[in-house]
Amino acid sequence: MKTFNMKTWAPAALSLLLAGTTSCTGDLDSEPISPKIDTEYSNDGLFNKCYAVFAMAGEGYGDNGDAGSDVKGYSDEGMTNLYRLMWNANELTTDEAICGWGDNGLDQLVVNTYDDSNQMMKAYFARLTLGISACNQYLAVAGDADATKTAEVRFLRAMHYSLLMDAFGNVPFSESLSKPVRYTRAEMYEWLVNELTNNVEPNMSEPKAKTSADADYGRVDKAAAWLLLARLYLNAEVYSGTAQWEKAKEYANKVIGSGYELNTRGLNGWSAYQMLFMGDNGETAAAKEAIFPILQDSKTIRSYGNTLFLIASTFNDKMHASPFDPAGINGCVSAAWAGNRARKELVLKFFPTGNVPQVPSYDMPAYAGDERAIFWGYSDDENSPVTLENTKISDFKNGYGVCKFINFKTDGSSAYNPSFADADCFFMRLAEAYLILAEADARLNGNKTSSVGTKAINDIRLRANASTRAESDSYSLNDICDEWAREFYFEGLRRTTLIRFGRFGGLNNYNWSWKGNDLAGKNFDSHLNIFPIPVSELNANSNLQQNPGY
């Protein structure tokens, strides 16, 4: 049971907050809520809403937490969930994920042909700016009420701004209810660093590893601010033109020493890594790795985004991720949407010789020598086998299945409500700090790790029962780029990682299936490293300018 229920916000405050939210940049200068509403009650509602925008797409009616989506104009309201939109932008455009659905511009993301009319990018931009509006609304109404809550809301706003900047470069900016102005990417980066360093981190709660038994599980603390700073510093050269590897390393070390813990022990036949993505990940030791978990509960916090999306979109009804329940599919018995699966290049990160077995997901890790290789390559229909190749985008069996995200619990049971997920979505987790430390260390050391960076990668690989190297040995940047994929595939980090390594847009000859709309993969122009500002936003706010190349 999740003890921090984000679905308890005040309905009156929520309805006022969401009134008229059909546009995006206009929401940043929306009118404040009525002062006649009970202040304490509405403050709590607005505070919870700032978290809830990560968990659900809308106000929620009946069994559907996405109903009444904040982002209007889409028949599939669950599609407008923040994590789902972020995931599509940062995974489908890369060497990790491919999707057979073509609606709302997903097909353009898969082959890197998106433009300023892409509906998925329009929804993503809207979702992020609406999240900023929710935070600005709380800060305007209750910013002086509680220093810790204010710091948390400022962090959540900074997270939205960091995602907006990473995706769209030059963005609308306002930290109040005034009309937004245009900030360049470098200006946005500088503001974020200052905001997190001076206004967020000092007033956050002290870092503490938590499980759902703790009353503050689901709320962020200083470790989240440190990890976002480490992430920003790691990408500083992309964002501002000036590298900050020492700072990235410094803040990664802060996170690693914060008291959060890598989950290193499996349970009841499930690996320690698999436990991070299961239905009871908030209740087991896996929770102590979650620095920012988005709470999901099939009883009370239901969404067609977050973990349900990750679970349902990666399965068809012929797959079964539990060796203990061959009929159980993924732990959500009514959720097997058959959309997203692995690109060939992701699977080959675990099988560099190309000798990939055609076996179920629970047998695959033993063949890979790595417990993170949770792929489905088995078919009991010889006339319709699962293939490693992605020759036909629309065919779900063209590509190995990904069984990383499941709703089985470690005791073998499934969700209370079979249509929704109990698994929390770990939006930020400790392992990221280990890889930030290793990469920053390598970039400061001639593009290879010192003993410090080698140990950080070894710690990650040891958890997966994968091979390691002597600390006197090193990992190259090529090794580290691949390690990012092995540890964090399908978690929404890949596009940013490839750009940082110079492997996304431009003449880099790092190719994958369907890159640049070519089956074999081909280079595409570097202007695609930044998404276009949706044309509707340019029309709504004259302060904005389209990004170069669109």
Side-chain angles (χ1 to χ4, degrees), residues 125-248:
F125 196 103
R127 171 58 62 190
L128 291 171
T129 53
L130 283 163
I132 293 165
S133 296
C135 295
N136 281 343
Q137 192 84 327
Y138 175 85
L139 294 170
V141 172
D144 297 329
D146 183 290
T148 301
K149 287 184 176 179
T150 293
E152 290 177 42
V153 171
R154 294 183 83 136
F155 169 84
L156 298 174
R157 182 178 65 177
M159 176 59 74
H160 279 91
Y161 268 128
S162 70
L163 294 172
L164 190 68
M165 172 197 66
D166 180 72
F168 297 99
N170 309 308
V171 299
F173 174 78
S174 176
E175 49 186 326
S176 68
L177 299 175
S178 61
K179 183 177 181 178
V181 298
R182 176 180 179 268
Y183 262 32
T184 66
R185 192 180 236 187
E187 288 171 333
M188 194 72 253
Y189 166 81
E190 291 298 332
W191 180 87
L192 282 164
V193 169
N194 179 71
E195 173 77 351
L196 290 163
T197 303
N198 296 321
N199 299 321
V200 174
E201 186 269 345
N203 294 311
M204 297 276 269
S205 299
E206 292 301 313
K208 175 190 173 185
K210 313 169 191 71
T211 71
S212 64
D214 296 295
D216 53 355
Y217 176 68
R219 293 176 61 176
V220 290
D221 58 32
K222 288 181 188 290
W226 295 336
L227 185 52
L228 183 52
L229 277 165
R231 185 186 290 184
L232 288 166
Y233 285 130
L234 188 69
N235 292 285
E237 191 169 26
V238 174
Y239 297 152
S240 72
T242 302
Q244 295 285 358
W245 311 123
E246 286 283 7
K247 285 285 190 181

Side-chain angles (χ1 to χ4, degrees), residues 79-92:
M79 186 217 78
T80 67
N81 168 272
L82 171 58
Y83 190 92
R84 185 166 169 176
L85 290 165
M86 182 274 292
W87 190 95
N88 286 329
N90 291 335
E91 291 293 342
L92 294 182

Side-chain angles (χ1 to χ4, degrees), residues 298-311:
S298 65
K299 292 182 181 180
T300 56
I301 309 175
R302 305 179 183 124
S303 173
Y304 290 99
N306 301 316
T307 41
L308 180 66
F309 167 70
L310 295 171
I311 292 165

Side-chain angles (χ1 to χ4, degrees), residues 8-82:
T8 58
W9 61 78
L14 177 63
S15 61
L16 281 165
L17 176 66
L18 299 183
T21 56
T22 54
S23 67
C24 312
T25 56
D27 289 326
L28 296 179
D29 62 344
S30 58
E31 291 297 316
I33 66 170
S34 169
K36 296 180 182 180
I37 294 176
D38 181 275
T39 303
E40 182 178 358
Y41 189 60
S42 62
N43 286 359
D44 288 343
L46 290 172
F47 177 73
N48 283 337
K49 176 61 179 177
C50 292
Y51 276 100
V53 295
F54 287 88
M56 289 170 287
E59 191 170 354
Y61 306 127
D63 201 41
N64 181 7
D66 295 325
S69 174
D70 305 348
V71 177
K72 308 302 181 183
Y74 295 86
S75 58
D76 180 0
E77 293 184 301
M79 186 217 78
T80 67
N81 168 272
L82 171 58

